[in-house]
Amino acid sequence: MTTTVAPVRLAVIPGDGVGPEVVAATVPVLQRAAEGTGLDLRVTELDWGGERFLREGAAMPADAADTVRAHDAVLFGAVGRPDVPDDELVWGLIIGLRQQLDLAVNVRPVHAFPGVPTRVVDTDGVDLVIVRENTEGEYVGAGGLAHAGTGHDIGIEVAVHSRRVIERAARHAFELAGRRSGRLSLVTKSNAMRHGYPLWDRVVREVAEQHPDVELEVVLVDAMAARLVQSPRSLDVLLAGNLFGDILSDLAAVLAGGMGMAPSANVLPGGDVPGIYEPVHGSAPDIAGRGVANPVACLLSGALLLEDLGHTVAATGIRQAVSAALLDPTHHTPDLGGSATTTDLAAAVLDRMEI
C-alpha cells in the first residue's frame, strides 16, 4: 500500500533589502531537501513589502492573513527600507501578520557551528533556544503621543501582559525544555516593574508545577544579559516577554557569529495557522544589492519550517549541509570575516546536501 504525502504549500515573501537575496539562496536548498525526501514543495511568491507600499500605499493587501492561511508555512525575508517609515512597514507587514494570525511564540535557536568565528571567546558547544512571547508586551501598540509639536511632547508606550498569553508561551517553553535538557530560565524584571513582570513570575511558576521534570530558574534581564556573554553554556531554554526576548536574542546571536547566523520561527503552538519563518537580521539596507548577505539565518529558518511541518529528515539534511559548508572559511561571507558571496555560500550548502 502506497502512502501519499500531502504537498507542502509554501508562501515566500522576499520583502525588502537583503530579504530577496537570502530567500533566493534558500528556496533551491529547500527544494533539494524536498526532492531528496520525496516531498512535493509548491512555492508561491508574494510581492509584499516596501515596493508594494510605495506602489499601493500598503505593504500587504487587506486579505493578507487569508492568503497566508491557504498555505502550510511562510518563508519571510526581511522588512524595511530607508525611504519608508519603519513603523509603516513593520506594523504593516510582519507585526501585522503575527497579530492577525495570533502567532503566539517566537522561537530563536542559537547554535555555535564549528569553524565559525565569533567576537565572544569560548563559544564552542553553545546551543540554546530563546522562546519569546510574540503578540503583547511593549509591542502591543497601546499608547499615544500628547502635546505633539509643542516642545513638551509626551510619548506613552503601554506594555500589556495577559495571563492567557503568558500561559501559552510558558507551556511551549516548558515542553521544549522537557525535550532538551530539562532546564528553563525565565527572564523577568519583577524587582522594578510592579505589575506585568510579577504576573509573569506567578503564571510561569504555576505552569512549572505541571512540568516537574523541568527545573525552573528566574533571572532578572540585566543579569541574563551578562550571563549570556559570560556563561552561555549554563543556559538551555530561555523564556522571555516580547521586548526582552527581542533584545536578548540579538545579543545571543553574537555567540553564533552574528545576526547572519540567527534563524527564527513565529508559530501558534497547537493551532491551525501557518507559521512564519524568518532570519532575524532584518533588511540590512547598507549591504542590500551587493550580494554579500549571509544566507545561513534564512537557510536555518527554512530548516525550522520543515521540522515544524514534521519533515525532520529534510530539516536535518539542511543543517548538516550548512555545518559542513561553514567548516571551510573560503565559504564565509564578510560578516564572518570571509569574502564569499551569498550565492557562494548557498552553492556550498547545496553541494553538501546528502539527501
Side-chain angles (χ1 to χ4, degrees), residues 145-291:
L145 186 63
H147 308 301
T150 67
H152 302 283
D153 308 50
I154 300 174
I156 303 166
E157 205 78 55
V158 179
V160 175
H161 305 278
S162 65
R163 171 176 287 274
R164 179 184 69 91
V165 165
I166 297 168
E167 282 179 343
R168 63 186 186 179
R171 283 195 296 269
H172 185 73
F174 274 97
E175 290 166 5
L176 179 59
R179 296 193 299 270
R180 289 171 57 95
S181 72
R183 293 180 291 122
L184 175 65
S185 305
L186 169 64
V187 180
T188 184
K189 193 59 180 172
S190 50
N191 63 331
M193 296 181 177
R194 302 180 62 184
H195 308 296
Y197 289 101
L199 178 62
W200 268 87
D201 293 0
R202 290 195 301 274
V203 173
V204 172
R205 286 192 172 101
E206 290 172 10
V207 177
E209 293 175 0
Q210 304 164 25
H211 297 270
D213 55 325
V214 176
E215 178 186 350
L216 172 67
E217 64 169 346
V218 180
V219 184
L220 297 177
V221 64
D222 36 359
M224 181 58 77
R227 186 168 160 192
L228 271 170
V229 176
Q230 294 176 333
S231 185
R233 285 191 295 270
S234 71
L235 300 164
D236 188 48
V237 177
L238 280 65
L239 171 62
N242 210 335
L243 179 62
F244 294 166
D246 191 6
I247 295 169
L248 290 177
S249 57
D250 284 9
L251 172 62
V254 178
L255 303 171
M259 298 296 285
M261 300 293 296
S264 75
N266 303 276
V267 296
L268 176 60
D272 59 355
V273 297
I276 300 177
Y277 300 79
E278 58 175 320
V280 173
H281 54 58
S283 61
D286 56 322
I287 61 169
R290 293 168 50 192

Side-chain angles (χ1 to χ4, degrees), residues 72-128:
D72 298 304
V74 178
L75 181 68
F76 184 86
V79 63
R81 49 184 292 161
D83 53 351
V84 179
D86 279 344
D87 61 324
E88 292 283 0
L89 289 183
V90 173
W91 278 93
L93 187 51
I94 188 62
I95 292 182
L97 282 175
R98 288 173 185 169
Q99 294 191 343
Q100 290 177 40
L101 296 170
D102 197 25
L103 298 175
V105 173
N106 186 274
V107 180
R108 296 190 173 186
V110 179
H111 180 82
F113 285 91
V116 176
T118 70
R119 298 284 184 175
V120 180
V121 298
D122 193 21
T123 59
D124 292 351
V126 168
D127 183 20
L128 58 89

